Amino acid sequence: MTKTIAILGAGAWGTTLANLARVNGHEVRLWSRQGDLSLEDVVKNAEIVLSAISMKGVQDVALLVKSCQVSPHTIFVTATKGLDAKTTRTPSQIWQTEFPDHSVVVLSGPNLSQEISQGLPAATVVASKNTAAAQVVQQIFSSGRFRVYTNSDPVGVELGGTLKNVMAIASGVCDGLHLGTNAKAALVTRGLTEIIRIGKVLGAKTETFYGLSGLGDLLATCNSPLSRNYQVGYQLASGKTLTEILASLPGTAEGVNTCQVLMQISQQQNITMPITEQVYRLLETQVTPKQALDELMLRDTKPEYHQ
Ligand SMILES: NC(=O)C1=CN([C@@H]2O[C@H](COP(=O)(O)OP(=O)(O)OC[C@H]3O[C@@H](n4cnc5c(N)ncnc54)[C@H](O)[C@@H]3O)[C@@H](O)[C@H]2O)C=CC1
Ligand SMILES: O=C(CO)COP(=O)(O)O
């Protein structure tokens, strides 16, 4: 059945998701700050409101939507991969707080938008506490080129997509320094362990991180020059400053902000995050890429815990 869908954020990801829904015959209205359509008109009578806004704009946009007329049956979908700098909340927690009586669905997976726009095959996950709402979103986006799975752990799915961005920066550094395949395998594997350790404290289920939105997105983003986060790390390794890199980067690299938020969480909750800490110190110019590598390699010896 044809659905009316409001997509907020007309960047790389919002535009790609809009096209996937349009190809499946849905009526899509795309909103951005610079566009001609008013937010009020875009969300009015929309059965789905999907946000693909960068993390820094999510809270403000959620409040703007709250001031509009929204149907009581509207399902909110969030596709943002980040953490709020002030409150450390995830995007789905922000939408659910502002719309406590509505279903909220997280959409996240190994989804480099450029490949999907080219028509290359990909899979993703839609997760919600409300299974029926996740199934509605699954039907909207599923096609022969985009395979959509449901999941009942929205926070786990969301954190998989968010936390891997920090590991993608680290992987870009690893490749930029030409450290080799063994080093990259060690980094990504220990990165997953670190993601699981943080994710469990933040309320995710461990097994979710072994799925598409966890390991799947970690592999995609840590291995692709199409990832903006990977590019940040790669270019830092080549000696550019963060300011120079961000000035020429096409779109948002959420891992930079996420890394800062994770450092707050690690200090508050006493969680060991060695890779995140070295990425943070590198972004803050407290260490060089080579020093960050040495710090990680020369940590105290220990057994190989997986969590
Ligand atoms: N591009 C990709 O391959 C994928 C991106 N994502 C996630 O989707 C989100 C958006 O990514 P992209 O579309 O690539 O970024 P982008 O930089 O291309 O677009 C960001 C959009 O957010 C809007 N925005 C930013 N700050 C805003 C504010 N304060 N108020 C209102 N609107 C604001 C921008 O105007 C733009 O429309 C990020 O969280 C990213 O991690 C998720 C999966 C794939
Ligand atoms: O999340 C993504 C792929 O799943 C996109 O990665 P970047 O934001 O690093 O480009």
Side-chain angles (χ1 to χ4, degrees), residues 81 109-113 161 164-165 168 217 220-221 226-231 252-254:
K81 295 176 174 175
N111 295 153
L112 296 155
S113 60
K164 61 81 190 168
N165 283 334
D217 205 0
T221 319
L226 290 178
S227 156
R228 284 84 44 99
N229 289 289
Y230 175 95
Q231 279 298 339
T252 312
E254 296 280 18

Short mmCIF file of all heavy atoms in Angstrom, two decimals, residues 81 109-113 161 164-165 168 217 220-221 226-231 252-254, ligand 2:
data_model
loop_
_atom_site.label_atom_id
_atom_site.label_comp_id
_atom_site.label_asym_id
_atom_site.label_seq_id
_atom_site.Cartn_x
_atom_site.Cartn_y
_atom_site.Cartn_z
N LYS A 81 23.37 8.54 12.70
CA LYS A 81 24.31 7.72 13.47
C LYS A 81 25.18 8.63 14.33
O LYS A 81 26.24 9.10 13.89
CB LYS A 81 25.18 6.90 12.50
CG LYS A 81 24.39 5.86 11.70
CD LYS A 81 25.24 5.11 10.69
CE LYS A 81 24.45 3.99 10.02
NZ LYS A 81 25.18 3.31 8.95
N GLY A 109 22.56 0.15 9.09
CA GLY A 109 23.22 -1.02 8.52
C GLY A 109 24.42 -0.59 7.72
O GLY A 109 24.77 0.59 7.67
N PRO A 110 25.08 -1.55 7.05
CA PRO A 110 26.22 -1.21 6.19
C PRO A 110 25.70 -0.55 4.92
O PRO A 110 25.41 -1.23 3.93
CB PRO A 110 26.87 -2.57 5.91
CG PRO A 110 25.85 -3.60 6.23
CD PRO A 110 24.78 -2.98 7.07
N ASN A 111 25.56 0.76 4.93
CA ASN A 111 24.80 1.46 3.90
C ASN A 111 25.54 2.70 3.39
O ASN A 111 25.10 3.84 3.63
CB ASN A 111 23.43 1.89 4.45
CG ASN A 111 22.53 0.72 4.79
OD1 ASN A 111 21.66 0.82 5.65
ND2 ASN A 111 22.72 -0.42 4.15
N LEU A 112 26.64 2.49 2.70
CA LEU A 112 27.34 3.62 2.08
C LEU A 112 26.42 4.17 0.99
O LEU A 112 26.13 3.48 0.01
CB LEU A 112 28.68 3.16 1.52
CG LEU A 112 29.67 2.66 2.60
CD1 LEU A 112 30.68 1.69 2.04
CD2 LEU A 112 30.34 3.84 3.30
N SER A 113 25.94 5.39 1.17
CA SER A 113 24.86 5.91 0.31
C SER A 113 25.24 5.94 -1.16
O SER A 113 24.41 5.70 -2.03
CB SER A 113 24.42 7.29 0.78
OG SER A 113 25.49 8.18 0.72
N GLY A 161 25.73 1.34 14.55
CA GLY A 161 26.00 2.33 13.49
C GLY A 161 26.74 3.54 13.99
O GLY A 161 27.50 4.17 13.24
N LYS A 164 30.72 2.44 15.46
CA LYS A 164 31.71 2.04 14.45
C LYS A 164 32.35 3.23 13.77
O LYS A 164 33.42 3.10 13.16
CB LYS A 164 31.10 1.07 13.43
CG LYS A 164 29.93 1.61 12.61
CD LYS A 164 30.28 2.47 11.42
CE LYS A 164 29.06 3.13 10.84
NZ LYS A 164 29.33 4.18 9.87
N ASN A 165 31.74 4.40 13.84
CA ASN A 165 32.34 5.56 13.17
C ASN A 165 33.70 5.93 13.78
O ASN A 165 34.59 6.39 13.08
CB ASN A 165 31.39 6.76 13.23
CG ASN A 165 30.27 6.64 12.21
OD1 ASN A 165 30.44 5.98 11.19
ND2 ASN A 165 29.14 7.26 12.48
N ALA A 168 36.08 3.52 12.43
CA ALA A 168 36.37 3.83 11.02
C ALA A 168 37.46 4.90 10.93
O ALA A 168 38.33 4.84 10.04
CB ALA A 168 35.11 4.31 10.30
N ASP A 217 28.25 -3.16 9.58
CA ASP A 217 28.57 -1.75 9.32
C ASP A 217 30.02 -1.45 9.66
O ASP A 217 30.67 -0.62 9.01
CB ASP A 217 27.62 -0.85 10.13
CG ASP A 217 27.44 0.52 9.50
OD1 ASP A 217 28.04 0.78 8.44
OD2 ASP A 217 26.71 1.33 10.08
N ALA A 220 32.02 -2.58 6.62
CA ALA A 220 31.82 -1.69 5.46
C ALA A 220 32.59 -0.39 5.66
O ALA A 220 33.34 0.06 4.78
CB ALA A 220 30.33 -1.40 5.27
N THR A 221 32.41 0.20 6.82
CA THR A 221 32.94 1.55 7.02
C THR A 221 34.45 1.54 7.24
O THR A 221 35.13 2.47 6.81
CB THR A 221 32.21 2.23 8.21
OG1 THR A 221 30.82 1.91 8.13
CG2 THR A 221 32.34 3.72 8.15
N LEU A 226 34.90 5.36 0.67
CA LEU A 226 33.66 6.13 0.55
C LEU A 226 33.19 6.64 1.91
O LEU A 226 32.38 7.57 1.98
CB LEU A 226 32.54 5.28 -0.05
CG LEU A 226 32.65 4.89 -1.52
CD1 LEU A 226 31.48 4.00 -1.92
CD2 LEU A 226 32.71 6.13 -2.40
N SER A 227 33.67 6.03 2.99
CA SER A 227 33.27 6.48 4.33
C SER A 227 33.98 7.78 4.68
O SER A 227 35.22 7.87 4.63
CB SER A 227 33.63 5.40 5.36
OG SER A 227 33.77 5.99 6.64
N ARG A 228 33.19 8.77 5.10
CA ARG A 228 33.77 10.06 5.49
C ARG A 228 34.62 9.90 6.76
O ARG A 228 35.65 10.53 6.92
CB ARG A 228 32.69 11.13 5.71
CG ARG A 228 32.07 11.71 4.45
CD ARG A 228 30.96 10.91 3.86
NE ARG A 228 29.99 10.39 4.79
CZ ARG A 228 28.80 10.95 5.03
NH1 ARG A 228 28.45 12.01 4.39
NH2 ARG A 228 27.95 10.39 5.88
N ASN A 229 34.17 9.01 7.67
CA ASN A 229 34.93 8.80 8.90
C ASN A 229 36.29 8.16 8.61
O ASN A 229 37.31 8.57 9.15
CB ASN A 229 34.10 7.95 9.87
CG ASN A 229 32.93 8.74 10.42
OD1 ASN A 229 33.10 9.65 11.22
ND2 ASN A 229 31.72 8.41 9.97
N TYR A 230 36.28 7.16 7.74
CA TYR A 230 37.53 6.53 7.30
C TYR A 230 38.45 7.59 6.68
O TYR A 230 39.65 7.63 6.95
CB TYR A 230 37.20 5.42 6.30
CG TYR A 230 38.39 4.75 5.65
CD1 TYR A 230 38.92 3.57 6.15
CD2 TYR A 230 38.99 5.29 4.51
CE1 TYR A 230 40.00 2.94 5.54
CE2 TYR A 230 40.07 4.69 3.90
CZ TYR A 230 40.57 3.51 4.41
OH TYR A 230 41.64 2.91 3.80
N GLN A 231 37.87 8.47 5.86
CA GLN A 231 38.65 9.53 5.20
C GLN A 231 39.32 10.45 6.22
O GLN A 231 40.45 10.88 6.01
CB GLN A 231 37.76 10.36 4.28
CG GLN A 231 37.50 9.74 2.93
CD GLN A 231 38.78 9.55 2.11
OE1 GLN A 231 39.78 10.21 2.34
NE2 GLN A 231 38.74 8.62 1.18
N THR A 252 28.90 14.85 6.43
CA THR A 252 29.14 14.77 7.87
C THR A 252 30.01 13.57 8.24
O THR A 252 29.76 12.47 7.76
CB THR A 252 27.76 14.60 8.57
OG1 THR A 252 26.86 15.56 8.04
CG2 THR A 252 27.86 14.74 10.06
N ALA A 253 31.01 13.78 9.12
CA ALA A 253 31.74 12.64 9.72
C ALA A 253 31.37 12.62 11.20
O ALA A 253 31.98 13.30 12.02
CB ALA A 253 33.24 12.80 9.53
N GLU A 254 30.36 11.82 11.53
CA GLU A 254 29.79 11.84 12.89
C GLU A 254 30.77 11.34 13.95
O GLU A 254 30.63 11.65 15.12
CB GLU A 254 28.53 10.98 12.95
CG GLU A 254 27.36 11.45 12.08
CD GLU A 254 26.57 12.59 12.72
OE1 GLU A 254 27.09 13.25 13.64
OE2 GLU A 254 25.43 12.82 12.26
O1 LIG B 2 27.33 4.93 8.00
C1 LIG B 2 27.80 4.80 6.90
C2 LIG B 2 27.80 3.51 6.19
O2 LIG B 2 26.98 2.57 6.79
C3 LIG B 2 28.42 5.96 6.23
O3 LIG B 2 29.69 6.12 6.73
P1 LIG B 2 30.33 7.58 6.83
O4 LIG B 2 29.36 8.42 7.62
O5 LIG B 2 31.65 7.37 7.48
O6 LIG B 2 30.48 8.07 5.41
#
